[in-house]
Amino acid sequence: MYETTGAGYKIGNISVNSTACADDIALISQDSIQAQILINMAYDYAYMEGYVLQPTKSVVLNISHKQRKQESNNQTFKMGPNDMPSIEKATHLGIIRTTSLKGNMIANVDENIKKARRSAYSLLGGGFHGHNGLDVETMVHLYKIYISPVLLYGLELILPTTSSLTLLENFQKKLLKQILSLPTCVADITVNILTGILPIEAQVHIRALGLFNNICNQPDDSVEKSLAKRQLIIKNDESSSWFIAIKHMLRKYDLQEASWYLNKPVKKTVWTSTIKKTIYNHWNRSIVQLQPLYKGLNFLTTENLRTGDIHPLFKINCHSTIDTARLPVKLKLLTGSYILQSKRIRMFKDETDPKCLLCAKEEENIEHFILKCESLRIVRNAILQEITTTLNAMGIQFDELSTNEKLQHILDLTPIAKAKKLSPVSVVQIERLTRRLLYQLHIARYKMLCGQ
């Protein structure tokens, strides 16, 4: 196959399109005579229109093919009186093209990660952290609109394989854990639950299926739609064709066959809504099924994941600098990543005593730390009394609740607030008190441990 970017001519499946602002790249595989004809046509068209093709962008890229040897790698092509340079890599519209599909994928994934990392670093000073610290909801929003588009740029065309998806996923998880002030050891699904952001694979699927719908809505005689129909007919399910990959995606989410959508196009608004709802439901079920495997996530609600919204805990209007600083402690306790003795013994079985280092009476777990430790009683009782009084005024008898119910109210009030239809003002009031309680317990514990 031969391809040159630009505008103007087409011979069979070979197209030439020459404009003054386009990257004029000739993709050469075997028929050097036909390729030279295309290059001459592009050169003549530019001459007639009165402009000169950019010499640094008019290059030759020899496309390799698995099933046949390259016979034209040493061919020389001319554009007018000058020889065209033969290169291994070129960039067009921000997407890197190499001599193989695998090379395209690796080069673009690596470049996207580099660009996304630069975008994140550019926001660290005045964006993510600000002068006094931004709230989590704002930081996640910044990630969605500034960093995620850079990370995913062009991937709906390339459709990365599992290894490349893993690199992208690791970058996203690491960055989101930093935004949430969570340690890297926290369960990966925690990031998806708290931010409402789907795994990279799901995001690529949404973008790819959106592009497929655009092709479906084109006229029947368009090149893209004709190519789609032809590929779906002649290619088998093991093919590396982009349209076959789309067929597998549609089957994965129990949607209609690709050929069905080509014959009966769906409006873009309806398609976008349907695809997002279907994909979010699919991945929500997968994540919810994994949640019971992580004991530390018992108190974390997942309702927001169905619609891709950020966790309701972050929507509570506690955006003062003090409240923002106190939130990381609560998140660590909520996600089971706060280091207590019961957690340390899992990592150092022969070296760690599970008993509380402060009172030495029983195993130091989350229940003991928040509600029972005698050494923290003075710190706890004053704030816990305020919480009890406030909840009693709302019709919730805190003292009559079970231990798990008390922990649920302290760690994540949002499911109770929805069930009891508590007012936003009441929720904010309780949230501030619980953040203060957990933060003061955290500070008191570390002061006592450092003093021992």
Side-chain angles (χ1 to χ4, degrees):
M1 182 185 74
Y2 310 93
E3 180 184 337
T4 60
T5 65
Y9 305 99
K10 183 173 181 180
I11 303 176
N13 64 346
I14 307 167
S15 61
V16 179
N17 201 353
S18 301
T19 62
C21 60
D23 290 349
D24 300 292
I25 302 171
L27 304 178
I28 309 304
S29 94
Q30 282 195 343
D31 192 339
S32 58
I33 297 175
Q34 203 169 18
Q36 185 64 64
I37 292 172
L38 287 171
I39 295 169
N40 292 338
M41 291 169 68
Y43 182 80
D44 292 340
Y45 181 84
Y47 178 78
M48 289 187 295
E49 292 295 322
Y51 61 83
V52 177
L53 294 175
Q54 173 58 258
T56 59
K57 295 183 178 181
S58 300
V59 296
V60 178
L61 198 61
N62 295 282
I63 302 299
S64 61
H65 198 285
K66 292 181 181 179
Q67 299 171 355
R68 58 178 180 262
K69 284 188 175 181
Q70 289 297 315
E71 299 175 357
S72 59
N73 285 340
N74 298 323
Q75 292 290 330
T76 301
F77 297 92
K78 286 184 174 293
M79 180 168 283
N82 302 318
D83 291 340
M84 293 182 67
S86 180
I87 62 171
E88 297 294 322
K89 183 168 66 174
T91 303
H92 178 57
L93 298 178
I95 299 177
I96 300 172
R97 304 293 298 271
T98 67
T99 56
S100 67
L101 292 176
K102 183 178 180 181
N104 290 347
M105 181 182 59
I106 294 174
N108 281 282
V109 167
D110 290 344
E111 188 65 19
N112 281 13
I113 291 175
K114 290 178 184 177
K115 290 179 180 177
R117 185 178 289 114
R118 293 190 198 110
S119 299
Y121 288 164
S122 69
L123 291 171
L124 288 177
F128 280 160
H129 295 159
H131 295 293
N132 296 315
L134 295 175
D135 59 280
V136 173
E137 185 179 12
T138 302
M139 288 191 285
V140 171
H141 183 66
L142 286 172
Y143 173 84
K144 287 181 178 179
I145 62 175
Y146 285 113
I147 300 174
S148 183
V150 176
L151 184 64
L152 300 175
Y153 182 76
L155 297 186
E156 66 271 21
L157 300 173
I158 299 168
L159 298 181
T161 58
T162 302
S163 57
S164 295
L165 285 172
T166 300
L167 294 175
L168 294 162
E169 188 65 39
N170 288 341
F171 173 82
Q172 175 175 270
K173 287 176 181 176
K174 183 178 179 180
L175 182 56
L176 289 177
K177 286 177 182 179
Q178 290 175 342
I179 291 174
L180 296 171
S181 300
L182 292 174
T184 54
C185 63
V186 73
D188 289 338
I189 63 170
T190 305
V191 172
N192 305 120
I193 296 172
L194 290 176
T195 63
I197 296 175
L198 291 176
I200 292 293
E201 182 181 357
Q203 296 181 58
V204 171
H205 289 175
I206 290 175
R207 296 165 76 98
L209 290 173
L211 176 59
F212 175 68
N213 181 252
N214 291 341
I215 295 173
C216 293
N217 280 283
Q218 291 191 3
D220 290 335
D221 59 349
S222 65
V223 175
E224 292 84 355
K225 194 165 186 177
S226 300
L227 178 62
K229 291 180 178 179
R230 180 177 180 274
Q231 292 274 300
L232 290 171
I233 291 172
I234 68 172
K235 296 290 186 179
N236 58 38
D237 285 352
E238 286 72 39
S239 171
S240 58
S241 168
W242 186 86
F243 292 102
I244 298 302
I246 291 295
K247 180 197 287 189
H248 293 319
M249 282 184 207
L250 292 170
R251 289 176 178 175
K252 177 175 182 175
Y253 299 111
D254 296 325
L255 296 167
Q256 297 285 355
E257 288 292 323
S259 56
W260 189 90
Y261 289 112
L262 284 169
N263 295 323
K264 298 179 181 179
V266 181
K267 288 184 178 179
K268 185 174 182 178
T269 53
V270 177
W271 176 268
T272 301
S273 175
T274 302
I275 290 301
K276 283 190 174 182
K277 183 178 179 181
T278 302
I279 292 179
Y280 272 107
N281 286 339
H282 174 88
W283 288 92
N284 175 59
R285 289 192 296 271
S286 300
I287 292 172
V288 170
Q289 288 173 0
L290 290 174
Q291 188 178 8
L293 301 177
Y294 301 95
K295 293 183 179 180
L297 305 181
N298 296 340
F299 303 103
L300 185 60
T301 181
T302 59
E303 289 295 322
N304 61 299
L305 195 58
R306 293 182 180 179
T307 55
D309 294 329
I310 195 170
H311 195 280
L313 180 66
F314 302 125
K315 293 186 177 182
I316 300 174
N317 192 23
C318 294
H319 292 169
S320 70
T321 304
I322 295 176
D323 290 324
T324 300
R326 289 171 175 170
L327 182 60
V329 175
K330 185 169 192 175
L331 289 180
K332 288 183 177 68
L333 288 164
L334 180 60
T335 58
S337 55
Y338 190 88
I339 304 299
L340 299 169
Q341 289 300 100
S342 59
K343 189 172 183 67
R344 283 177 56 84
I345 197 172
R346 297 174 195 169
M347 298 181 283
F348 310 103
K349 289 186 179 180
D350 299 330
E351 305 173 14
T352 306
D353 186 348
K355 286 187 178 180
C356 177
L357 296 177
L358 302 182
C359 65
K361 291 186 176 180
E362 60 182 19
E363 180 181 337
E364 187 188 38
N365 51 30
I366 189 170
E367 174 188 340
H368 177 82
F369 171 63
I370 296 177
L371 298 174
K372 294 182 177 180
C373 183
E374 287 295 323
S375 299
L376 299 172
R377 178 169 51 84
I378 297 175
V379 177
R380 178 190 305 111
N381 285 356
I383 307 175
L384 200 58
Q385 184 58 44
E386 288 186 58
I387 295 174
T388 303
T389 303
T390 304
L391 287 173
N392 289 345
M394 299 175 190
I396 301 173
Q397 302 302 315
F398 186 76
D399 291 332
E400 298 177 5
L401 299 176
S402 65
T403 300
N404 280 343
E405 289 174 333
K406 287 180 179 179
L407 290 174
Q408 184 68 66
H409 280 69
I410 292 172
L411 293 172
D412 186 3
L413 183 67
T414 53
I416 293 98
K418 183 179 180 180
K420 299 285 186 179
K421 297 182 180 179
L422 300 180
S423 67
V425 175
S426 301
V427 174
V428 169
Q429 191 176 2
I430 295 298
E431 179 63 19
R432 282 179 174 159
L433 288 172
T434 54
R435 288 190 191 184
R436 180 181 164 209
L437 169 65
L438 299 176
Y439 185 75
Q440 293 297 337
L441 289 174
H442 163 74
I443 294 298
R445 178 178 183 270
Y446 271 84
K447 282 184 178 179
M448 292 179 187
L449 289 176
C450 292
Q452 289 181 355

